[in-house]
Amino acid sequence: MKIFIFFSVYNRIYEEDKKGFVKSIVISAFPLRKDIQEMIAHKIIYNNKKKFHIINQIDPSIIGGFLFRIGYKEWNFSIQEQLFHIQKNIFH
C-alpha cells in the first residue's frame, strides 16, 4: 500500500513539473463538454501555460453549477452551495 501511495505522489509531481499537467476535477450535475471544462480551468487558474488533466465527475445533488478542485483547493459554484448560504442567512 505504501508503495502505491508513493508512486501515486511521484507520478503527480512528475506530471505537474516535467509535463506541465495539473490534475483537476470538475464536478457537475451533468456531463460537460471538454471545451467547457478547459474554459472553467483557465478562468479559475489564470496561468495559461498550464495544461490541465480534467476529470468530470457527475453529482446530481449539486443541482446545477459546478465544483472545481485542484489538490486540496476547491471552488464551489454549485446551486446547492448558493441555496445553503441563502438558508443560513434567513434562519440565523
Side-chain angles (χ1 to χ4, degrees):
M1 183 67 172
K2 289 181 182 180
I3 294 172
F4 176 74
I5 293 171
F6 173 77
F7 180 73
S8 177
V9 170
Y10 174 80
N11 193 31
R12 180 182 54 83
I13 292 170
Y14 175 78
E15 284 185 353
E16 288 181 12
D17 291 343
K18 300 295 182 188
K19 294 183 179 179
F21 283 99
V22 176
K23 183 179 176 184
S24 58
I25 299 172
V26 175
I27 302 171
S28 58
F30 55 89
L32 298 174
R33 293 188 332 243
K34 275 290 190 198
D35 61 328
I36 300 293
Q37 295 174 31
E38 291 176 9
M39 183 184 69
I40 289 169
H42 286 288
K43 292 283 185 180
I44 293 175
I45 306 301
Y46 301 108
N47 187 344
N48 286 333
K49 295 180 181 180
K50 294 282 184 185
K51 299 174 193 168
F52 292 93
H53 173 72
I54 304 170
I55 298 168
N56 187 199
Q57 294 179 349
I58 309 305
D59 182 1
S61 71
I62 68 168
I63 304 169
F66 63 90
L67 282 84
F68 184 76
R69 291 183 184 150
I70 295 178
Y72 296 107
K73 295 180 183 178
E74 177 178 278
W75 294 264
N76 192 335
F77 299 102
S78 68
I79 301 297
Q80 179 186 37
E81 181 74 7
Q82 300 301 317
L83 290 173
F84 172 75
H85 286 293
I86 291 170
Q87 179 184 18
K88 183 178 160 185
N89 289 334
I90 289 175
F91 295 111
H92 288 104

